[in-house]
Amino acid sequence: MRHVRLLRIGVPVMAGALALSACGSRDTGDGTDAAGGSTTLTIGFDAPLSKDLAAVGLGMKNSAELAVKKANKDKTVPGVTFELVAKDDQALPNIGQQNAAAFAADDSVIGVVGAYNSSVSAAMQSTLADAKLVQVSGANTNPTLTQGSDYKKTPKREYASYFRTITTDAVAAPVMAEYFFNDLKIKKIATVDDKKTYGAGIIGNFTDAYKELGGKVAIHQSINPDESDYAAVVNSVKSSGAQGVFYGGEYPQAGPLKKQLVAAGFDGPMGAGDAVKDDKLIELAGKEAANGTYTTSDGAPVDTLDSAKSFIADYKAAGYSEPYGVFGAYTYDATTALIQAVKAAAEGKDGKIGAVKDLRPDVVTAMQKVSFSGATGQVAFDEFGDSVNQVISVNAVENGAWKDGVEVITVEK
């Protein structure tokens, strides 16, 4: 990979605000609603809407709803009204699989947006693929979801129905490895993961890139995400001689880990992926202890993009109580991409929707060809269903607050 450094800027997080309730479906499954009016199509949504990760899940759900409302207002698909039905997976793969089965069995569902966790999406993929349902995520970053378990040597797409509008850890993690090694001058690092699909995957990609640059991994440790006392891991990291830490996991555990590292006298920086980029991280770690946390996130900071101005304005105007967060704009674009695919599939049938189940395969085919200018920039998919937009931001906590895009990097293969 060749990293092209574009700019260095310090931009505070732009917070929107939000809260939404799931819409019900009145669709009869034959392309017309119960009242005999316009066609009603359901878009399923899956994410953690309760427990530790509720804040990020709700921001994603609200963003998906915003895209649905815009499509209905603009009559993007003539004669079609979209409704969003959201399900809470609680960040658990087994619940995600159950939700996928429910969406597949619902004859009104034309596609599914989600999940947030890569492990949950992995549990959903085969069920949705068997039902010929598009699944599109604005948050999943594990490369195996699109390119298979041997993606580094022989990438192979297993599910033609799965897409994402966000880059993978195979793109983002090497950016952080380079930033730690070259910019922060960290030559010896400790790695810690949470044993989940996302955490283990990003650690693997970071480690390979970091070692290739000449860095040394002093120690690798794992935490139990259901526990809150990481003393054993902290002591091992501190005694390893590592100058910094790279954490593979999510903000509910990253915050306490950073707090405990600082309390133990470890003053090195902590790097992580986009799942740690949340205001809650600072609250959990404490403003002072959170300083020196670095994460990646997809694209340039959303609030610096002209393409995202409408999304941000509409989100604020909607009066939601949760921020859209790191994945909101990407989920908005994912939902819009699905709607664009439905539009193309309907046009292929001269605007006649017919039985929704019969339209599902056509939507999958159309999704592969979707291309438009979205809130996050160009939205389109490569042969694996991955986003073609490969821009990565490095973000940092400084003086108790996030500074977005301290470096923005375009990654070229």
Side-chain angles (χ1 to χ4, degrees):
M1 291 184 181
R2 180 168 63 88
H3 299 150
V4 182
R5 300 182 177 229
L6 298 180
L7 58 132
R8 288 179 180 268
I9 53 178
V11 184
V13 167
M14 180 89 171
L18 251 149
L20 100 117
S21 60
C23 302
S25 172
R26 301 184 305 279
D27 196 272
T28 62
D30 64 356
T32 60
D33 67 22
S38 66
T39 302
T40 302
L41 299 180
T42 300
I43 293 177
F45 176 87
D46 179 273
L49 304 177
S50 62
K51 298 186 177 182
D52 288 349
L53 294 169
V56 68
L58 289 168
M60 291 169 60
K61 184 176 75 165
N62 298 338
S63 301
E65 185 195 43
L66 202 63
V68 167
K69 286 182 175 180
K70 187 177 189 305
N72 288 338
K73 180 181 178 181
D74 295 347
K75 302 186 186 306
T76 300
V77 184
V80 171
T81 298
F82 292 98
E83 291 186 330
L84 188 74
V85 170
K87 293 185 181 294
D88 178 12
D89 61 36
Q90 299 179 41
L92 296 174
N94 64 312
I95 296 180
Q97 198 283 325
Q98 293 168 16
N99 292 344
F103 286 135
D106 185 342
D107 289 347
S108 73
V109 175
I110 195 61
V112 176
V113 177
Y116 164 68
N117 302 85
S118 291
S119 56
V120 175
S121 276
M124 299 174 70
Q125 282 182 309
S126 63
T127 299
L128 296 178
D130 288 345
K132 310 297 183 186
L133 274 171
V134 163
Q135 179 184 4
V136 55
S137 174
N140 295 159
T141 57
N142 190 280
T144 62
L145 295 172
T146 45
Q147 300 184 36
S149 58
D150 197 24
Y151 65 91
K152 291 183 179 180
K153 294 181 180 179
T154 54
K156 182 180 179 181
R157 188 174 187 179
E158 186 172 358
Y159 301 106
S161 56
Y162 178 86
F163 301 83
R164 55 179 144 204
T165 54
I166 194 167
T167 53
T168 73
D169 296 330
V171 177
V175 169
M176 184 58 77
E178 183 178 286
Y179 189 80
F180 260 60
F181 187 82
N182 290 331
D183 293 69
L184 300 183
K185 309 300 181 186
I186 301 298
K187 309 300 181 182
K188 188 177 182 182
I189 202 164
T191 58
V192 181
D193 69 49
D194 63 357
K195 302 179 184 179
K196 294 182 181 180
T197 299
Y198 166 77
I202 196 170
I203 286 292
N205 280 286
F206 175 90
T207 298
D208 289 348
Y210 187 72
K211 286 182 176 179
E212 187 174 341
L213 291 167
K216 179 181 179 181
V217 176
I219 190 172
H220 174 72
Q221 296 280 281
S222 295
I223 64 166
N224 184 341
D226 296 325
E227 297 177 354
S228 57
D229 184 353
Y230 308 134
V233 170
V234 168
N235 289 334
S236 295
V237 169
K238 186 178 177 183
S239 62
S240 71
Q243 300 169 301
V245 176
F246 184 80
Y247 176 66
E250 298 154 334
Y251 67 83
Q253 293 75 38
L257 176 61
K258 185 66 162 66
K259 182 177 183 177
Q260 292 172 40
L261 283 166
V262 172
F266 185 83
D267 60 0
M270 183 175 80
D274 49 13
V276 170
K277 175 64 170 62
D278 195 277
D279 288 346
K280 191 73 173 178
L281 176 282
I282 298 172
E283 178 184 332
L284 292 170
K287 288 187 176 181
E288 186 172 346
N291 291 332
T293 301
Y294 296 83
T295 72
T296 55
S297 61
D298 216 52
V302 170
D303 58 329
T304 68
L305 298 174
D306 288 340
S307 58
K309 287 182 177 179
S310 178
F311 163 73
I312 294 171
D314 289 347
Y315 196 98
K316 293 177 69 175
Y320 296 125
S321 59
E322 299 88 10
Y324 51 77
V326 175
F327 305 104
Y330 292 91
T331 301
Y332 177 85
D333 281 348
T335 309
T336 301
L338 174 56
I339 291 168
Q340 290 293 325
V342 173
K343 179 181 179 181
E347 288 174 347
K349 292 180 176 290
D350 296 323
K352 298 176 182 179
I353 298 298
V356 177
K357 274 194 171 183
D358 292 340
L359 187 65
R360 288 176 176 179
D362 295 328
V363 176
V364 172
T365 299
M367 190 72 168
Q368 186 64 55
K369 301 176 183 178
V370 162
S371 181
F372 63 96
S373 179
T376 60
Q378 183 63 24
V379 178
F381 307 102
D382 66 14
E383 67 270 30
F384 299 106
D386 285 325
S387 171
V388 299
N389 192 348
Q390 298 192 86
V391 176
I392 301 296
S393 289
V394 175
N395 316 290
V397 179
E398 298 179 6
N399 299 317
W402 283 107
K403 285 195 173 181
D404 294 353
V406 294
E407 186 158 0
V408 180
I409 298 169
T410 294
V411 179
E412 298 181 3
K413 294 182 179 180

